[in-house]
Amino acid sequence: MSRSQLNRGNSARNPQGDDVGCNILHIDMDAFFALVEVRENPSLAGKQVIVGYDGNRGVVLSATYEARKLGVHSAMPMSRALRLAPNAIVVEPDHEKYSEVSENVMAIFESITPLVQPLSVDEAFLDISGAQKLMGTPSQIGEVIRARVSDEQGITCSVGVASTMFVAKLATNFAKPDGLHVVPADKVIEFLHPLPIGALWGVGEKTAEQLSRLGLVNVSDIANTPVKTLARVVGQAAAEHLYELSWGRDPRVVTPNQAEKSIGAERTFEADIDDPEEILAQILDLSNKVAKRLRAANYFSRTITIKVRFADFTSVTRSKSLPSSTDLATDIYGTSKSLFEAMHLQRARIRLVGVRATGLVPTSESSVQLEFSNRDSGWREAEAAMDQVSLKFGNSAVKPARLIKPES
């Protein structure tokens, strides 16, 4: 998908030029998971595509704009999404693929400036103060990034340009999809005050409802209400926070290279499971996914955690620290299995299981000795070979024998 094939329409709604002092970019991939799937399968272009697991308990992870026009959105139950868009094509997610594209996108950002703060796999803040001398104005840099993401990764992104992180993130909403929007430094109040109070960070539905009882509907209402009055509803700290944001004041700075705190995977079952052997098979599959993601991210883990959610929606977690850090599925599964068996659940009905690796250590700093005489050597070579096969032929090409279901 080349640049010429993409719709750049939204840039025209916000003419470039008045971006002096707007050193913060907020970049958000458009319908990230869905557009990666369209890139992989061009026959899906222009169609209603929903990424998620089809079933009674599935939820929407992403959807193309064709599906969004019908009311489909992320986190919506799949059953409701398919009632709204009965002709939609449901594609199961491939998180390894999305992680790879995310890493490539972040590498583009980091080639522009070292000041990159990822918020998620498809979203980041950039401080481009030091890049302007060589690359031009903030708007020009934003357009360069949009073009590179499109040409190099085959997906689109939207860019908000402003003087603070808070306003830049709001600006992105006006750029979507596939556009760029500038909020000039001297127009921040003009931009903010007409917006609904829900635009302020920290105002959810419940808080918005409480504030609306005082007649506070727009950001301008917050800006013109004494902090003491706001504090009676939301508390002193939140009142001060909202008041400052309502005047466009945000002291935060872009903080780059925040280390990952954990890597995990979990699965919600279409029907509750009470067979311990079936649950262990699911834990084995999740352990393999976590190990693969650890290796892809160049991390070892010191602690393994499992999560079990029961039919009544209560959840329990159990953790165990390892004698040495690892990125091997055999170690992760062995630990997860012992944690699960120690629960003695006796055929409890289980809705969800998850496996998470924490205490992450970069491979360059790990004390693990990768010697051929090491007992882990064979497992590491085997799992590395599985990674290569999956990369070439897909995630289902190779898996532990226990996970292969006999053909009916």
Side-chain angles (χ1 to χ4, degrees), residues 110 116-120 255-263 294 297-300 302 356-363 365:
E110 290 168 356
V116 177
Q117 181 177 335
L119 299 182
S120 63
T255 305
N257 301 323
Q258 293 184 332
E260 292 190 68
K261 295 180 179 180
S262 67
I263 291 176
L294 281 170
N298 295 314
Y299 280 111
F300 288 105
R302 290 196 180 107
R356 186 158 297 276
T358 59
L360 302 188
V361 183
T363 53
E365 299 176 14

Side-chain angles (χ1 to χ4, degrees), residues 238-353:
E240 293 175 359
H241 165 75
L242 295 180
Y243 185 81
E244 290 298 302
L245 289 182
S246 72
W247 287 103
R249 295 190 282 264
D250 178 13
R252 295 171 311 141
V253 296
V254 175
T255 305
N257 301 323
Q258 293 184 332
E260 292 190 68
K261 295 180 179 180
S262 67
I263 291 176
E266 57 185 42
R267 181 165 298 146
T268 300
F269 307 128
E270 291 191 13
D272 299 331
I273 295 177
D274 62 3
D275 181 356
E277 289 303 313
E278 174 61 22
I279 294 167
L280 286 174
Q282 298 292 334
I283 290 175
L284 173 60
D285 190 32
L286 295 172
S287 297
N288 276 278
K289 291 181 182 297
V290 171
K292 184 176 180 181
R293 292 172 188 173
L294 281 170
R295 292 190 292 270
N298 295 314
Y299 280 111
F300 288 105
S301 170
R302 290 196 180 107
T303 303
I304 303 301
T305 299
I306 67 166
K307 177 168 73 172
V308 177
R309 179 170 296 157
F310 301 102
D312 63 359
F313 288 89
T314 60
S315 299
V316 295
T317 60
R318 296 288 186 272
S319 300
K320 183 178 180 180
S321 295
L322 306 174
S324 61
S325 54
T326 187
D327 62 354
L328 296 179
T330 183
D331 294 337
I332 296 171
Y333 173 66
T335 304
S336 300
K337 180 175 183 286
S338 66
L339 289 169
F340 177 75
E341 291 177 340
M343 291 183 182
H344 301 295
L345 295 179
Q346 298 179 345
R347 303 191 73 85
R349 293 171 58 235
I350 293 175
R351 176 184 176 87
L352 171 150
V353 292

Side-chain angles (χ1 to χ4, degrees), residues 63-370:
T64 57
Y65 285 92
E66 289 80 4
R68 294 184 184 198
K69 289 177 182 178
L70 299 177
V72 177
H73 58 77
S74 297
M76 171 181 286
M78 185 65 74
S79 56
R80 173 166 169 71
L82 291 177
R83 286 197 296 271
L84 293 171
N87 297 319
I89 300 168
V90 178
V91 180
E92 289 197 357
D94 183 342
H95 291 285
E96 285 82 4
K97 180 166 58 184
Y98 308 145
S99 294
E100 179 183 355
V101 177
S102 174
E103 290 174 6
N104 293 337
V105 168
M106 296 300 167
I108 292 174
F109 299 164
E110 290 168 356
S111 72
I112 303 294
T113 172
L115 300 178
V116 177
Q117 181 177 335
L119 299 182
S120 63
V121 294
D122 62 344
E123 183 181 9
F125 283 111
L126 281 66
D127 184 331
I128 45 87
S129 302
Q132 294 176 52
K133 186 174 182 180
L134 292 175
M135 298 190 63
T137 67
S139 296
Q140 290 170 338
I141 293 172
E143 290 293 4
V144 166
I145 292 172
R146 291 181 59 223
R148 287 190 58 186
V149 168
S150 171
D151 293 338
E152 297 176 26
Q153 297 304 312
I155 58 176
T156 65
C157 66
S158 298
V159 180
V161 184
S163 55
T164 65
M165 295 172 69
F166 167 58
V167 177
K169 186 171 173 67
L170 288 180
T172 308
N173 295 330
F174 289 79
K176 282 188 166 291
D178 188 23
L180 181 146
H181 190 90
V182 178
V183 178
D186 60 352
K187 302 287 185 182
V188 168
I189 304 305
E190 181 181 327
F191 170 75
L192 278 179
H193 280 195
L195 299 178
I197 55 176
L200 297 174
W201 284 345
V203 177
E205 290 185 12
K206 185 176 180 180
T207 303
E209 182 180 345
Q210 292 173 326
L211 292 170
S212 67
R213 292 172 186 164
L214 294 180
L216 308 179
V217 178
N218 298 322
V219 173
S220 60
D221 298 328
I222 300 292
N224 292 296
T225 300
V227 172
K228 288 184 178 180
T229 302
L230 294 173
R232 288 201 294 268
V233 178
V234 299
Q236 185 67 30
E240 293 175 359
H241 165 75
L242 295 180
Y243 185 81
E244 290 298 302
L245 289 182
S246 72
W247 287 103
R249 295 190 282 264
D250 178 13
R252 295 171 311 141
V253 296
V254 175
T255 305
N257 301 323
Q258 293 184 332
E260 292 190 68
K261 295 180 179 180
S262 67
I263 291 176
E266 57 185 42
R267 181 165 298 146
T268 300
F269 307 128
E270 291 191 13
D272 299 331
I273 295 177
D274 62 3
D275 181 356
E277 289 303 313
E278 174 61 22
I279 294 167
L280 286 174
Q282 298 292 334
I283 290 175
L284 173 60
D285 190 32
L286 295 172
S287 297
N288 276 278
K289 291 181 182 297
V290 171
K292 184 176 180 181
R293 292 172 188 173
L294 281 170
R295 292 190 292 270
N298 295 314
Y299 280 111
F300 288 105
S301 170
R302 290 196 180 107
T303 303
I304 303 301
T305 299
I306 67 166
K307 177 168 73 172
V308 177
R309 179 170 296 157
F310 301 102
D312 63 359
F313 288 89
T314 60
S315 299
V316 295
T317 60
R318 296 288 186 272
S319 300
K320 183 178 180 180
S321 295
L322 306 174
S324 61
S325 54
T326 187
D327 62 354
L328 296 179
T330 183
D331 294 337
I332 296 171
Y333 173 66
T335 304
S336 300
K337 180 175 183 286
S338 66
L339 289 169
F340 177 75
E341 291 177 340
M343 291 183 182
H344 301 295
L345 295 179
Q346 298 179 345
R347 303 191 73 85
R349 293 171 58 235
I350 293 175
R351 176 184 176 87
L352 171 150
V353 292
V355 175
R356 186 158 297 276
T358 59
L360 302 188
V361 183
T363 53
S364 59
E365 299 176 14
S366 175
S367 60
V368 172
Q369 299 299 313
L370 304 182

